[in-house]
Amino acid sequence: MGVTKTDLFSETQNDMAVAAKAFAHPARVAIIQYLLKANACINGDLVHELGLAQATISQHLRELKDIGIIHGTIEGSRISYCINPKRWNEIKNQFNTIFDQFKSTNPDDCC
C-alpha cells in the first residue's frame, strides 16, 4: 500500500476530504437525509426506512459517527442517532467557503 501525503495539505483540506468520503456513499447520504427530516431516529427505523441489513446500517452509522456528523444516545437497548449541529455547521461552512469562491457571470465560462 502506498504512503499517503496528507501532511502536504492543510488540516482543513484533510478534514474536508474525510467528510467528503463519508458523504460518498448513497446509503450514508440517505441516512443523513432521514436524520435531518426526523431530527432524531432509532437505529431500527433506518433498517425499515432504507431496506438495508442491520449490520450494513451499523457500519454506515459508524462511518458518520467517526467524522462526528452524527452522535447517538443510549436509551435502554436502543441507540438514538441525530445530527451533531456543531460538526454539521463546521462541514457546511468548509464546503460553502469553497463553493462561494466560484464567481462566474457567464454560465458558459470554462477553459
Side-chain angles (χ1 to χ4, degrees):
M1 181 181 277
V3 176
T4 62
K5 304 273 185 173
T6 56
D7 57 326
L8 297 175
F9 305 100
S10 73
E11 184 178 334
T12 299
Q13 290 166 332
N14 281 293
D15 189 47
M16 289 178 68
V18 170
K21 184 179 176 187
F23 278 92
H25 195 286
R28 292 192 285 270
V29 172
I31 289 169
I32 290 169
Q33 288 175 322
Y34 184 77
L35 291 173
L36 288 168
K37 182 175 76 174
N39 201 24
C41 121
I42 297 173
N43 200 351
D45 291 346
L46 289 169
V47 172
H48 175 71
E49 181 73 21
L50 300 179
L52 298 173
Q54 178 64 52
T56 303
I57 296 287
S58 293
Q59 181 181 4
H60 289 303
L61 288 168
R62 184 174 49 252
E63 292 282 333
L64 295 170
K65 197 170 181 184
D66 285 349
I67 67 159
I69 202 160
I70 65 169
H71 53 184
T73 56
I74 299 172
E75 298 172 3
S77 62
R78 300 181 196 185
I79 301 177
S80 292
Y81 290 95
C82 62
I83 299 293
N84 176 349
K86 182 176 185 244
R87 183 69 175 127
W88 178 265
N89 285 324
E90 287 172 358
I91 293 170
K92 178 181 162 188
N93 289 336
Q94 287 173 340
F95 280 94
N96 281 343
T97 297
I98 284 184
F99 292 138
D100 291 345
Q101 288 178 13
F102 182 72
K103 309 281 189 229
S104 175
T105 56
N106 180 356
D108 296 327
D109 271 350
C110 189
C111 39

